[in-house]
Amino acid sequence: QVQLVESGGGLVQAGGSLTLSCAASGTLQRINIMGWYRQAPGKKRELVADMTNEGVIWYRDSVKGRFIISRDNAKNTMQLEMNNLKPEDTAVYYCSWYDRNSTDLPWFNYWGPGTQVTVSA
């Protein structure tokens, strides 16, 4: 079992910045991906960015150049630095964890409870 705790959400003016944090605990497998998803009202949940334990990073196009994902493997923590925020970034942001202890096994998936980010125009 994996537990995820998020922090850092809030209200910010357009053009401002916020940094989200996530801490993972429990039985953590060596092969894993930590990531951030978001879901706005009336829209599907979408992947914002993720990062593997080896340091491979993916960003969705709409946040490239504005958001920076990072993680500390020793502490099992992850951050998302969000800069030049726009109203369309408003959503509930979820920390995600996918892991497995061998490449011949299926992935396990865990979610944090979510944190609200609101960007005012």
Side-chain angles (χ1 to χ4, degrees):
Q1 297 292 328
V2 175
Q3 295 79 45
L4 302 170
V5 179
E6 301 144 325
S7 62
L11 174 64
V12 67
Q13 295 284 105
S17 299
L18 281 175
T19 298
L20 305 181
S21 298
C22 176
S25 62
T27 304
L28 307 176
Q29 301 302 327
R30 64 183 185 89
I31 304 170
N32 60 80
I33 306 169
M34 296 187 77
W36 293 98
Y37 286 74
R38 67 186 182 188
Q39 188 165 23
K43 301 195 70 176
K44 297 183 178 70
R45 185 174 297 186
E46 63 184 20
L47 177 63
V48 178
D50 62 17
M51 189 171 184
T52 73
N53 58 289
E54 296 289 342
V56 179
I57 295 172
W58 182 91
Y59 294 102
R60 71 179 301 106
D61 287 344
S62 62
V63 308
K64 287 179 179 176
R66 299 191 296 125
F67 292 10
I68 302 171
I69 190 171
S70 62
R71 59 183 288 177
D72 185 334
N73 291 346
K75 294 181 170 63
N76 298 126
T77 58
M78 174 182 64
Q79 291 189 317
L80 184 68
E81 181 184 334
M82 304 184 293
N83 301 302
N84 191 25
L85 283 160
K86 304 175 181 180
E88 54 262 42
D89 295 317
T90 295
V92 177
Y93 284 70
Y94 298 91
C95 180
S96 69
W97 173 279
Y98 287 83
D99 71 7
R100 58 186 182 182
N101 61 11
S102 177
T103 57
D104 64 344
L105 296 175
W107 293 95
F108 288 85
N109 176 216
Y110 302 90
W111 297 92
T115 185
Q116 177 71 47
V117 172
T118 302
V119 183
S120 61

